[in-house]
């Protein structure tokens, strides 16, 4: 159960961070499919899965909606970081990037 909670949290972060990790920044960005879960590890690697209906329902009980634009990035060593987007300036930059 604890691992499912971890996957859900990482999935929610990954939902907004997926475009930042696109293979080709100039290429087409895609959205997540309905029900898809994305996990992001601190070392920067990520994975996705499509849980079955029962597992998806359990995950949704722990899920919270994302209320604003979120950004993540990796450093030169590949370690992942979440960027604080709580200010209006950071929100504007985040939304500009996501468009």
């Amino acid at each position: 159960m604890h691992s499912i909670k971890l996957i859900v949290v990482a999935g929610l972060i990954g939902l907004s961070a997926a475009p930042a990790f696109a293979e080709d920044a100039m290429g087409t960005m895609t959205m997540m499919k309905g029900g898809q879960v994305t996990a992001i590890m601190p070392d920067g690697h990520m994975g996705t899965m499509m849980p079955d209906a029962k597992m998806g329902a359990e995950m949704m009980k722990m899920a919270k909606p994302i209320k604003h634009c979120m950004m993540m990035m990796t450093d030169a060593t590949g370690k992942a970081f979440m960027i604080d987007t709580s200010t209006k300036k950071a929100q504007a930059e985040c939304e500009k990037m996501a468009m």
Side-chain angles (χ1 to χ4, degrees):
M1 187 66 175
H2 185 68
S3 62
I4 291 174
K5 189 182 289 186
L6 196 63
I7 290 171
V8 170
V9 171
L12 291 175
I13 292 169
L15 175 66
S16 64
F21 293 104
E23 288 182 16
D24 181 7
M26 299 305 287
T28 304
M29 305 255 183
T30 59
M31 291 177 38
M32 292 176 65
K33 298 176 181 127
Q36 180 177 340
V37 177
T38 303
I40 303 169
M41 296 299 291
D43 67 359
H45 79 272
M46 44 189 295
T48 60
M49 70 179 280
M50 291 294 291
D52 60 28
K54 183 179 178 184
M55 181 186 261
E58 286 295 317
M59 289 179 170
M60 283 305 291
K61 290 178 186 175
M62 299 177 288
K64 295 179 184 173
I66 297 172
K67 296 182 181 177
H68 55 82
C69 186
M70 297 170 64
M71 291 193 294
M72 295 186 69
M73 68 179 295
T74 56
D75 65 4
T77 65
K79 186 174 180 182
F81 293 86
M82 188 167 164
I83 299 170
D84 179 13
T85 56
S86 60
T87 65
K88 286 190 181 270
K89 182 179 178 183
Q91 277 294 306
E93 188 63 34
C94 184
E95 290 169 6
K96 181 176 141 186
M97 184 187 306
M99 293 298 159

